[in-house]
Amino acid sequence: MKMLEMIHHCLVLLSFVGLFSVGEAFGFDFSGSRAWSSSKRSSCKQEGTIKMQTVTIIGSGAVGCYYGARLAEAGHEVTFQVRSGADVWRREGLRVASCLGDITLARPAVVERAAAPADWAVVCLKTYALLEQGGRPARELIAPAVGPGTRILLIMNGLGVEAPVAEWFGPEKVFGGLAFICCNRKGPADVIHSDYGALDAGHFLDDPAELAAVAALFEGSKVELRPQACLTAARWGKLLWNIPFNGISVAMGGVRTDVIMTDPDLREMAYRVMLDVRDSGNLDLEAQGKDARIGMDKVDTMMELTDNMAPYKTSTMLDFVSGRPLELDFMFSTALARAKELGGEPKYMESLIRMVRAADRQKQQQNSTQS
Amino acid sequence: MKMLEMIHHCLVLLSFVGLFSVGEAFGFDFSGSRAWSSSKRSSCKQEGTIKMQTVTIIGSGAVGCYYGARLAEAGHEVTFQVRSGADVWRREGLRVASCLGDITLARPAVVERAAAPADWAVVCLKTYALLEQGGRPARELIAPAVGPGTRILLIMNGLGVEAPVAEWFGPEKVFGGLAFICCNRKGPADVIHSDYGALDAGHFLDDPAELAAVAALFEGSKVELRPQACLTAARWGKLLWNIPFNGISVAMGGVRTDVIMTDPDLREMAYRVMLDVRDSGNLDLEAQGKDARIGMDKVDTMMELTDNMAPYKTSTMLDFVSGRPLELDFMFSTALARAKELGGEPKYMESLIRMVRAADRQKQQQNSTQS
């Protein structure tokens, strides 16, 4: 048990570099993209024999395209399920211009609906899909790729995205992935990957054997897969950064991380919100009977990392400024609701989240008035 | 004692209609100006004999002009101390176009520096004057009007404005006034008074005999003077509204009260901030050994009043949107510091105030970049 706990701690620590939130249109201030050490990038491991798997990518935005292309490159049979633009894929192929080496798939397998279950369903949908009509859109998109033996990896934002999927298809099937990547899409099958690319992944039930399975999938690919012994700790660990920094960047009408770090009130607010997120995460871990805890060292590390970052525009901030919808529910509201459900009083976090949601509502109203 | 406590409660209750913050340029959305009943306005009492007093108005902005003109109208000998524009006053006189009846003082007494102490120094300065150079500007403006027998009434925003003045001139001399008025200035001696006009006033040491003195000053004038048995309770009672509503209106980049009341997150935030202000005020009252307390009924009344208000733009919001400096210190920071000094944890209030101060800093920076 002691040993497992140590592994937990190490893995949780590892997960903390996976800060950035990801979306179909990732949005990144490239001036800041070298802030984290490039040693985080995996080298290409191609020795040994890799067992070929069938993989269906569901949600073929920038993130889906990138990880799908890397898996194809490593020898897996990857099918991209797309809602629109299939003709472009078939005509022009998939292009990923990547800082870790370009990939071109001249004839990618593209479907509008998976014809059969795969070994892996890799889901990179926007989190709205889990909310609309009780999640029906997401469920209907995922279901065709899932059979009795299928594993489902959700590379999505926030806290709680696994729960509905676990309910639909069985908890033993479900994995969570936290992408630490800067990429965006120029066209339906045209992706630019500018920096990073590591993927933290954990199993919904924290089953160590299953953790080995997800590690095996990415073995031999150029993706640095960092297994997370405790998925809940990994998710909260990413929120530790996302809630204060994505939150404040939006609540302040669209400011960069350097503004937050140098304004005395915003800096203090970020710190206090981070402490609230930490306490909430630990409450959640305790309630779930997990051994992992988020230590104060993580909070200090986050502040230090952000101090050393070049000015960075959070993805939510870019979405906000452009008037695009924000993934507020799973990045903010779920965490707040969970903390309160467990008797927590994360008042700084709550204040910030209320201001963020209100700012989003104001923006949406302005948009609908203008259009 | 029981009786005194009851009086306290009644007076505190009375003070709660005194919601609006006041400044030289008050800023008001006139569409909302009829929300409070006009029964709050005093009728003109001119029967009986009024003992004539000498009064020096220090800070002759809209508020100073209005109350000074009303006192002159009631027969007092009023001198307006002005920093600039004295020639305009002398040439054109003072005009107050008022909903309670216009006043024209053809030959107002105008000085750049009071020649002798008055019975009353009525101070309507912006609160910055108390902060710059340890308050030297304010002290130098007030001092010429103050002699051994002078009483000083500070009609100014926020919490703690009396303390420095009490230190300079003696606490027994000092009164606090909370103006419930909508007025602004068109020119140096040209004021428009559009609505309300009552004045809550208390003595710095809560001396009941002194309370009678301030009531006597306004006796026979058109100003409804509402004596406040406990000045601290009156000041916090006004903050109960000002901190959440002026605060949120600024933090959200400039929104009206109706937006705050109809957005579920902002409404909840306003309510929680108000509870924090109430708790902080009660901590302060307790620490000062005062009997008065701010009850939950006041909070509910404030929410209800604001629900029934026509859309209103707070003065701080108008200052913010126009890029004018905000009176943040005494309206926000002093209250927060006081609450924390007393061991309070007003986290919603703190979160809001941090965002407001940061928003102001951003705005000032934008202004200095533009200019």
Side-chain angles (χ1 to χ4, degrees):
Chain A
M1 193 49 132
K2 207 70 197 147
M3 183 57 124
L4 245 181
E5 205 177 319
M6 274 183 61
I7 297 176
H8 273 158
H9 277 81
C10 288
L11 294 175
V12 168
L13 191 67
L14 268 175
S15 82
F16 283 104
V17 293
L19 294 182
F20 298 122
S21 59
V22 195
E24 264 185 47
F26 182 81
F28 190 76
D29 178 358
F30 290 98
S31 62
S33 62
R34 301 276 153 194
W36 265 277
S37 129
S38 61
S39 70
K40 294 292 181 291
R41 293 174 205 154
S42 69
S43 60
C44 182
K45 311 170 210 157
Q46 278 174 333
E47 63 275 23
T49 327
I50 306 301
K51 186 177 171 284
M52 196 269 283
Q53 307 266 290
T54 56
V55 178
T56 304
I57 305 290
I58 295 149
S60 302
V63 170
C65 285
Y66 176 74
Y67 290 108
R70 287 282 172 228
L71 289 170
E73 181 187 44
H76 298 296
E77 188 184 319
V78 179
T79 303
F80 296 87
Q81 183 176 292
V82 303
R83 253 203 267 220
S84 60
D87 51 329
V88 182
W89 284 70
R90 292 189 186 113
R91 198 171 58 237
E92 304 179 8
L94 170 62
R95 287 185 308 274
V96 178
S98 169
C99 57
L100 299 184
D102 296 352
I103 316 165
T104 304
L105 304 181
R107 289 189 206 295
V110 189
V111 295
E112 258 139 29
R113 186 185 161 87
D119 295 324
W120 284 89
V122 176
V123 182
C124 306
L125 297 169
K126 281 278 191 184
T127 49
Y128 331 122
L130 293 172
L131 292 171
E132 290 162 21
Q133 308 161 53
R136 220 172 62 197
R139 186 176 185 166
E140 284 174 6
L141 288 170
I142 301 169
V146 178
T150 303
R151 291 183 169 94
I152 308 170
L153 171 60
L154 305 173
I155 307 183
M156 290 168 77
N157 273 329
L159 187 78
V161 294
E162 291 89 359
V165 181
E167 203 176 297
W168 300 332
F169 303 108
E172 73 292 345
K173 285 191 166 60
V174 178
F175 297 73
L178 301 165
F180 173 37
I181 191 167
C182 308
C183 64
N184 53 37
R185 206 154 60 134
K186 277 174 65 185
D190 198 353
V191 168
I192 296 175
H193 167 223
S194 55
D195 220 340
Y196 307 107
L199 188 64
D200 290 356
H203 183 249
F204 184 59
L205 302 175
D206 290 345
D207 181 336
E210 288 297 305
L211 215 50
V214 72
L217 174 65
F218 285 89
E219 186 71 33
S221 80
K222 281 190 179 171
V223 174
E224 181 190 10
L225 191 286
R226 299 181 295 211
Q228 301 295 309
C230 178
L231 180 57
T232 302
R235 288 247 171 234
W236 279 103
K238 203 175 175 194
L239 291 178
L240 206 60
W241 197 89
N242 283 141
I243 292 180
F245 290 99
N246 291 55
I248 294 175
S249 70
V250 169
M252 292 303 296
V255 299
R256 288 183 322 205
T257 51
D258 57 321
V259 172
I260 299 171
M261 294 311 276
T262 53
D263 181 284
D265 281 303
L266 294 184
R267 184 188 180 91
E268 185 67 25
M269 185 73 185
Y271 184 73
R272 286 169 187 258
V273 171
M274 207 182 272
L275 292 180
D276 273 355
V277 178
R278 172 183 170 259
D279 293 345
S280 304
N282 285 340
L283 263 184
D284 195 14
L285 289 166
E286 196 182 340
Q288 291 187 36
K290 306 285 181 191
D291 292 325
R293 290 293 178 275
I294 305 168
M296 268 307 292
D297 53 323
K298 312 298 189 301
V299 171
D300 296 336
T301 304
M302 285 294 169
M303 292 298 286
E304 216 176 284
L305 278 172
T306 317
D307 268 328
N308 294 328
M309 267 171 84
Y312 175 67
K313 294 173 181 172
T314 71
S315 59
T316 329
M317 181 274 227
L318 286 169
D319 284 341
F320 179 74
V321 169
S322 315
R324 289 191 292 266
L326 311 185
E327 292 186 290
L328 296 185
D329 294 274
F330 286 97
M331 199 190 290
F332 296 105
S333 301
T334 323
L336 179 60
R338 179 68 181 148
K340 293 194 138 194
E341 182 192 327
L342 296 170
E345 289 198 321
K347 295 181 179 178
Y348 296 107
M349 176 174 147
E350 179 184 342
S351 299
L352 177 61
I353 291 177
R354 289 193 183 281
M355 309 282 278
V356 168
R357 290 194 299 218
D360 182 46
R361 230 171 262 129
Q362 295 311 308
K363 190 86 173 183
Q364 299 304 328
Q365 253 174 29
Q366 280 169 20
N367 288 353
S368 68
T369 313
Q370 279 162 11
S371 64
Chain B
M1 191 52 130
K2 208 72 195 146
M3 184 55 128
L4 243 182
E5 205 176 319
M6 276 185 59
I7 297 176
H8 274 158
H9 277 80
C10 287
L11 294 176
V12 170
L13 191 69
L14 268 174
S15 83
F16 284 102
V17 294
L19 293 180
F20 299 121
S21 59
V22 195
E24 261 185 52
F26 182 84
F28 189 75
D29 179 355
F30 291 98
S31 63
S33 63
R34 301 276 153 193
W36 266 277
S37 128
S38 61
S39 70
K40 295 290 180 292
R41 294 174 205 154
S42 68
S43 59
C44 181
K45 312 172 210 154
Q46 280 176 332
E47 65 276 19
T49 325
I50 307 299
K51 186 176 171 285
M52 196 270 283
Q53 307 265 291
T54 56
V55 178
T56 305
I57 304 291
I58 295 150
S60 303
V63 170
C65 285
Y66 177 73
Y67 290 108
R70 285 284 173 228
L71 289 170
E73 181 187 46
H76 299 296
E77 188 184 319
V78 179
T79 303
F80 297 87
Q81 184 176 293
V82 302
R83 251 203 267 222
S84 59
D87 52 327
V88 182
W89 284 71
R90 289 185 188 119
R91 198 172 55 235
E92 301 179 10
L94 168 64
R95 286 184 307 271
V96 178
S98 167
C99 58
L100 300 184
D102 298 349
I103 316 166
T104 304
L105 304 180
R107 292 191 202 293
V110 191
V111 295
E112 259 138 32
R113 184 186 162 86
D119 294 325
W120 284 89
V122 176
V123 182
C124 305
L125 296 170
K126 282 276 190 185
T127 50
Y128 330 121
L130 292 173
L131 291 171
E132 291 163 20
Q133 310 161 49
R136 219 173 62 196
R139 185 175 185 168
E140 285 174 5
L141 287 171
I142 301 169
V146 177
T150 304
R151 291 184 169 95
I152 308 171
L153 171 60
L154 305 173
I155 307 183
M156 291 168 76
N157 274 328
L159 188 75
V161 294
E162 291 89 359
V165 181
E167 202 175 296
W168 302 331
F169 303 108
E172 73 291 346
K173 285 190 167 59
V174 178
F175 297 72
L178 301 163
F180 174 37
I181 191 167
C182 307
C183 63
N184 53 35
R185 206 153 59 137
K186 278 174 67 186
D190 198 352
V191 168
I192 296 176
H193 167 225
S194 55
D195 220 339
Y196 307 107
L199 188 64
D200 290 355
H203 183 249
F204 184 59
L205 301 176
D206 290 345
D207 181 336
E210 289 298 303
L211 216 50
V214 72
L217 174 65
F218 286 88
E219 185 74 31
S221 80
K222 280 190 180 175
V223 175
E224 181 189 10
L225 191 286
R226 299 181 295 211
Q228 301 294 310
C230 178
L231 180 57
T232 302
R235 289 249 171 231
W236 280 102
K238 201 174 176 193
L239 291 176
L240 206 61
W241 196 90
N242 283 142
I243 291 180
F245 289 99
N246 290 54
I248 294 175
S249 70
V250 168
M252 292 303 296
V255 298
R256 286 184 322 206
T257 52
D258 57 322
V259 171
I260 299 171
M261 294 311 275
T262 53
D263 181 283
D265 281 303
L266 294 183
R267 186 189 179 92
E268 185 66 27
M269 185 73 185
Y271 184 72
R272 286 169 188 258
V273 172
M274 208 183 272
L275 292 180
D276 274 355
V277 178
R278 172 184 169 257
D279 292 346
S280 304
N282 284 341
L283 263 184
D284 195 15
L285 289 166
E286 198 182 338
Q288 292 186 34
K290 307 285 182 189
D291 292 325
R293 290 294 177 274
I294 306 168
M296 270 305 293
D297 52 322
K298 311 299 189 304
V299 170
D300 296 337
T301 304
M302 285 295 170
M303 293 299 284
E304 215 176 287
L305 277 173
T306 318
D307 268 328
N308 293 330
M309 264 169 84
Y312 175 68
K313 295 174 181 171
T314 69
S315 59
T316 330
M317 180 275 225
L318 286 170
D319 283 341
F320 179 72
V321 169
S322 315
R324 289 190 292 265
L326 311 185
E327 293 186 289
L328 296 185
D329 293 273
F330 286 98
M331 201 190 290
F332 297 105
S333 302
T334 323
L336 179 60
R338 178 69 182 148
K340 294 196 135 192
E341 180 192 326
L342 297 171
E345 289 197 323
K347 295 181 179 177
Y348 296 106
M349 177 173 145
E350 179 185 342
S351 300
L352 176 61
I353 290 177
R354 289 193 184 281
M355 309 282 279
V356 168
R357 289 193 299 217
D360 181 46
R361 232 172 261 129
Q362 297 309 310
K363 191 83 174 184
Q364 299 303 328
Q365 251 173 32
Q366 281 168 22
N367 287 354
S368 68
T369 313
Q370 280 162 11
S371 62

